[in-house]
Amino acid sequence: GILNAKTIYWYTATFVAKHLFKDCVTFKYNKISARHISMEIAIHPDLKDCPLLLETYVHLFEILPTALGLPKARVEAKITERKAEYTIYLRHTSYFKML
């Protein structure tokens, strides 16, 4: 079947994040348009600050599209000690066939 690359992108990013760090963070996701996603990730209050984890997500969200055959995404992030707000711009909206 034909799948939208952005749908796969979001699913993969969420799956990886939730399964790797499921006890550490909470997500708020907002799809603004087909190319524009905003996301907030907060570290649970009873855990130690981990700004490095929040930085890691920037790279995950930037690089993941290339694994799906899309151009690299542009990510703007505001990161504090316990929370990050990401604005993700996907550069491509075409469909591609999954084998």
Side-chain angles (χ1 to χ4, degrees), residues 37-54:
I37 296 165
S38 72
M39 192 178 306
E40 184 182 291
I41 298 176
I43 296 171
H44 289 179
D46 55 340
L47 295 173
K48 219 176 89 169
D49 296 352
C50 191
L52 188 61
L53 172 67
L54 299 173

Side-chain angles (χ1 to χ4, degrees), residues 33-74:
S33 72
R35 294 184 189 208
H36 187 182
I37 296 165
S38 72
M39 192 178 306
E40 184 182 291
I41 298 176
I43 296 171
H44 289 179
D46 55 340
L47 295 173
K48 219 176 89 169
D49 296 352
C50 191
L52 188 61
L53 172 67
L54 299 173
E55 285 282 355
T56 302
Y57 281 110
V58 174
H59 301 293
L60 172 69
F61 296 138
E62 278 181 346
I63 293 165
L64 189 57
T66 59
L68 299 172
L70 297 172
K72 190 174 172 182
R74 181 166 62 85

Side-chain angles (χ1 to χ4, degrees), residues 10 13-14 17-18 21 25-29 39-42 57 61:
W10 166 239
T14 312
K18 282 186 176 173
F21 308 109
V25 297
T26 52
F27 291 85
K28 283 186 196 165
Y29 167 71
M39 192 178 306
E40 184 182 291
I41 298 176
Y57 281 110
F61 296 138

Side-chain angles (χ1 to χ4, degrees), residues 6-19:
K6 282 171 306 310
T7 303
I8 297 171
Y9 167 74
W10 166 239
Y11 174 80
T12 307
T14 312
F15 180 85
V16 168
K18 282 186 176 173
H19 286 269

